Amino acid sequence: GNSVTQMEGPVTLSEEAFLTINCTYTATGYPSLFWYVQYPGEGLQLLLKATKADDKGSNKGFEATYRKETTSFHLEKGSVQVSDSAVYFCALNNAGNMLTFGGGTRLMVKP
Amino acid sequence: DAGVIQSPRHEVTEMGQEVTLRCKPISGHNSLFWYRQTMMRGLELLIYFNNNVPIDDSGMPEDRFSAKMPNASFSTLKIQPSEPRDSAVYFCASSLGGGRAYEQYFGPGTRLTVT
């Protein structure tokens, strides 16, 4: 079956630090991969996506590259801000419409 | 353009009462999803509709839970009778559907507290 594994949080960083949140997946075929972000008290919002191997998704300074050889889709940002504090979810869609989510990683950025 | 709309945003009820959560998907989207989020269990898919038809309800925890989608612009999730362990944030999401590349758009959620 499909599964997504994320690094456990919380991840605590100082402002302007480099961020990496690891995500690996298990799936047959060629899934699409997504990163969602959930700010406190809100629903999940799509942050970025990639639909095929070697694609790079990017948005708001965040990037992730679809690596089929390592079955990974790690999220990176060069310089985090306090406003990036949120929970980040990695997800895949392998067939039809259903998403398989990872457990989420809480990011806390301190000024 | 309006996003996914959910109501109420907060619901507090007593054990044994009926609870109805409502969702209006984005216009033109043909897939709708209900999720539940708790600290203990994370984000769980409860049920998925495509073109108003339930496709997968394997995540519905038990018979106390039921969901309907009478038309393309409205869905309900009902819990009867409610129990304290149903306390969670319930999200509705919609998508254009049609394949693996389509993302889901989430509503702001309904925070349910059952006392």
Side-chain angles (χ1 to χ4, degrees), chain A residues 16 18 28 43 54 56-57 60-61 63 73 76 79 89 105 107:
Chain A
E16 299 184 2
F18 185 87
T28 56
D54 299 326
K56 178 186 286 187
K60 299 181 181 179
E63 294 182 339
F73 193 54
E76 296 182 336
S79 176
F89 292 90
T105 302
L107 171 65

Side-chain angles (χ1 to χ4, degrees), chain B residues 20-71:
Chain B
T20 299
L21 311 181
R22 296 172 176 80
C23 174
K24 177 179 170 57
I26 293 173
S27 177
H29 284 192
N30 62 3
S31 296
L32 184 139
F33 309 81
W34 282 101
Y35 292 89
R36 177 172 69 177
Q37 186 177 40
T38 61
M39 290 293 292
M40 290 293 293
R41 300 174 67 93
L43 195 62
E44 303 172 276
L45 176 65
L46 300 178
I47 188 168
Y48 152 46
F49 292 86
N50 190 49
N51 292 323
N52 312 335
V53 175
I55 302 300
D56 188 333
D57 65 355
S58 59
M60 295 286 264
E62 48 198 277
D63 292 346
R64 298 185 297 105
F65 285 69
S66 63
K68 294 182 179 180
M69 191 165 187
N71 57 62

Side-chain angles (χ1 to χ4, degrees), chain A residues 28-110:
Chain A
T28 56
Y30 302 93
S32 291
L33 301 174
F34 304 84
W35 276 102
Y36 280 82
V37 58
Q38 184 178 27
Y39 298 104
E42 299 184 10
L44 280 70
Q45 303 174 24
L46 179 69
L47 181 59
L48 53 85
K49 71 176 185 181
T51 58
K52 61 183 186 295
D54 299 326
D55 268 3
K56 178 186 286 187
S58 61
N59 186 26
K60 299 181 181 179
F62 290 89
E63 294 182 339
T65 301
Y66 187 161
R67 302 287 189 199
K68 191 164 178 63
E69 63 275 15
T70 54
T71 61
S72 65
F73 193 54
H74 304 321
L75 182 68
E76 296 182 336
K77 186 174 185 183
S79 176
V80 294
Q81 305 300 312
V82 173
S83 57
D84 294 326
S85 297
V87 180
Y88 292 82
F89 292 90
C90 185
L92 70 82
N93 184 342
N94 199 18
N97 296 318
M98 292 194 290
L99 287 172
T100 300
F101 284 94
T105 302
R106 181 175 299 278
L107 171 65
M108 299 170 57
V109 181
K110 298 185 175 181

